[in-house]
Amino acid sequence: MSYENRILISRKALKELEDLGEDERKLIKDRISKLAFFPLIHLDVKKLRGYEGIYRMRVGGYRIIFEYEKEEKTIKILKIGKRENIYG
């Protein structure tokens, strides 16, 4: 029995990731890879109010918005961006 989640990244999130500086991109990629073990691993993740299965993960001044489908063991990265721009 595997506890790993499958991670999918939307085209929009991939573009946002490519637009980051090299240091930020490396750090965010590292944190995204750790989502494979969500919710078993402790990360700075909170469920977004008003949404079903949508979470945010804080990585410094950046936020990663993702959808977690527990039954399918899938995480879909929806958006990546600075805190002040991500929620709009």
Side-chain angles (χ1 to χ4, degrees):
M1 179 178 208
S2 174
Y3 290 104
E4 279 189 58
N5 296 306
R6 189 169 56 135
I7 298 176
L8 306 172
I9 301 178
S10 71
R11 288 179 195 225
K12 180 177 182 171
L14 196 56
K15 171 104 175 69
E16 292 163 343
L17 187 62
E18 290 171 356
D19 291 343
L20 298 176
E22 187 177 343
D23 292 338
E24 291 91 359
R25 186 171 43 245
K26 279 184 177 180
L27 181 60
I28 289 174
K29 280 181 165 182
D30 177 63
R31 296 290 165 81
I32 287 173
S33 69
K34 290 179 180 179
L35 281 174
F37 299 100
F38 177 79
L40 299 176
I41 189 170
H42 176 67
L43 299 167
D44 191 353
V45 172
K46 289 190 177 177
K47 186 173 185 323
L48 292 182
R49 286 182 288 186
Y51 296 95
E52 188 66 37
I54 305 291
Y55 297 80
R56 73 98 176 118
M57 179 168 56
R58 187 173 71 167
V59 182
Y62 290 89
R63 301 296 182 269
I64 300 168
I65 307 298
F66 65 93
E67 180 177 10
Y68 176 52
E69 296 176 10
K70 188 175 184 177
E71 285 75 34
E72 289 144 29
K73 299 176 87 169
T74 302
I75 289 181
K76 183 175 183 185
I77 308 297
L78 303 173
K79 293 169 78 175
I80 300 169
K82 288 256 188 201
R83 177 184 170 258
E84 56 268 11
N85 302 327
I86 197 82
Y87 297 110

